[in-house]
Amino acid sequence: MDSTRVAELQQLIGLCKSNPALLHDSSLAFFKDYLQSLGGSVPEKPGLADHDEDEIIESDLELDGEIIDPDDDPPQKMGDPSVEISEERCDAAQLLKSKAMQAVAENNLEEAIDYLTEAILLYPSSAILYAARARVFVKMRKGSAAIRDADTALKINPNSATGYKSRGMAWSLMAQWEAAASDLRLASKLDYDEEIYSILTKAESNVRRIEEHRNKYERLRKEKEARRIQREKHHQSEKSRDPQVEDPNSLAVLRDGEVISTHSSDDWNRN
């Protein structure tokens, strides 16, 4: 074979060695097929193999506590804050609250909710009543309803320990551990009790696991990105050092067993 043709073939091979992605160019499909017919393997397109090789699959995170689905009941009745509160309404609401607490003691939770709802309609500006109903919703494992009542209680009285406690317990039912820990810490500062301590301990333990899990995969993603950048730098370095690559815009292609040097798409069309 003519030495010029051999040199051009060497140039083509050099280009493909420095940039295997060229083998996926449609104009070199015949050359790729030829290599594969001889038992050769062609690297996947850049990005695909690297992506699969470095794919980060997050493992399941094991946390303490039972998880319940958010309740989808219609929103509970709320009182009208513009209602003028008379002494009679206040006394009647207090009586209903007492009946509700008795119902809770007898585990008649639906009945307790009914009593507290009547009391709230009579005395809608009482944070205590909303917080009390929130506690009952927590016992019924209705986290969304409990959060609505606790939000209202805290809007009326931002220092309601029962409001923070009820909302924190509701968040924990729904596995919203960071929100639960935040509310329970505030509740503990306002009015510490053993129940708050027990749930807060579990919430803080889960928060630590969540943060460790999040930090771990954030670190892995950064390491993956650093490897990608390093591969690109290495590829560019190898490409610049390859003595066979004289002109990156020039490709040698084969036709009918001959080597033809092409420098542009017009050259290819003419040949």
Side-chain angles (χ1 to χ4, degrees), residues 79-86 89 121-125:
D80 179 0
S82 65
V83 170
E84 184 176 345
I85 307 301
S86 64
R89 292 174 74 97
L121 294 175
L122 288 170
Y123 194 176
S125 59

Side-chain angles (χ1 to χ4, degrees), residues 5-216:
R5 297 305 189 192
V6 171
E8 290 174 341
L9 180 57
Q10 288 177 329
Q11 183 182 9
L12 171 62
I13 294 172
L15 283 166
C16 292
K17 283 172 64 179
S18 64
N19 184 9
L22 292 175
L23 291 170
H24 295 282
D25 190 286
S26 59
S27 65
L28 290 180
F30 71 94
F31 188 42
K32 182 176 74 171
D33 292 343
Y34 172 68
L35 293 175
Q36 291 175 326
S37 73
L38 297 177
S41 61
V42 176
E44 294 185 43
K45 286 185 179 181
L48 293 179
D50 291 344
H51 172 76
D52 292 340
E53 185 179 310
D54 285 350
E55 185 178 3
I56 297 173
I57 301 175
E58 291 197 22
S59 60
D60 292 335
L61 180 59
E62 293 186 6
L63 300 173
D64 294 331
E66 182 184 357
I67 302 174
I68 66 168
D69 294 327
D71 49 290
D72 55 2
D73 294 343
Q76 61 269 37
K77 291 181 180 179
M78 300 290 192
D80 179 0
S82 65
V83 170
E84 184 176 345
I85 307 301
S86 64
E87 188 176 340
E88 289 78 11
R89 292 174 74 97
C90 183
D91 290 342
Q94 185 59 42
L95 179 59
L96 288 165
K97 178 176 178 292
S98 298
K99 291 181 178 180
M101 295 304 99
Q102 181 60 38
V104 169
E106 297 170 358
N107 204 35
N108 296 323
L109 302 182
E110 290 285 359
E111 184 179 328
I113 291 294
D114 290 340
Y115 282 132
L116 286 168
T117 299
E118 287 186 59
I120 285 169
L121 294 175
L122 288 170
Y123 194 176
S125 59
S126 171
I128 293 174
L129 291 176
Y130 284 107
R133 190 170 66 173
R135 286 296 309 276
V136 179
F137 278 130
V138 168
K139 288 180 178 292
M140 297 173 71
R141 306 178 72 73
K142 294 188 175 184
S144 298
I147 289 170
R148 284 193 292 269
D149 271 351
D151 283 345
T152 304
L154 291 167
K155 190 178 296 183
I156 297 169
N157 177 13
N159 293 316
S160 170
T162 307
Y164 284 117
K165 178 179 178 179
S166 299
R167 194 170 66 180
M169 293 172 70
W171 285 129
S172 70
L173 287 175
M174 299 162 68
Q176 299 297 315
W177 298 109
E178 290 162 310
S182 177
D183 277 344
L184 291 169
R185 288 189 196 105
L186 288 169
S188 182
K189 289 179 181 178
L190 292 167
D191 186 15
Y192 175 86
D193 66 39
E194 290 298 324
E195 187 176 28
I196 292 175
Y197 174 77
S198 174
I199 301 172
L200 178 57
T201 299
K202 178 170 64 178
E204 289 183 328
S205 173
N206 285 338
V207 168
R208 282 193 296 273
R209 295 182 197 179
I210 291 169
E211 289 175 346
E212 289 169 0
H213 183 85
R214 184 184 296 142
N215 291 339
K216 171 185 174 181

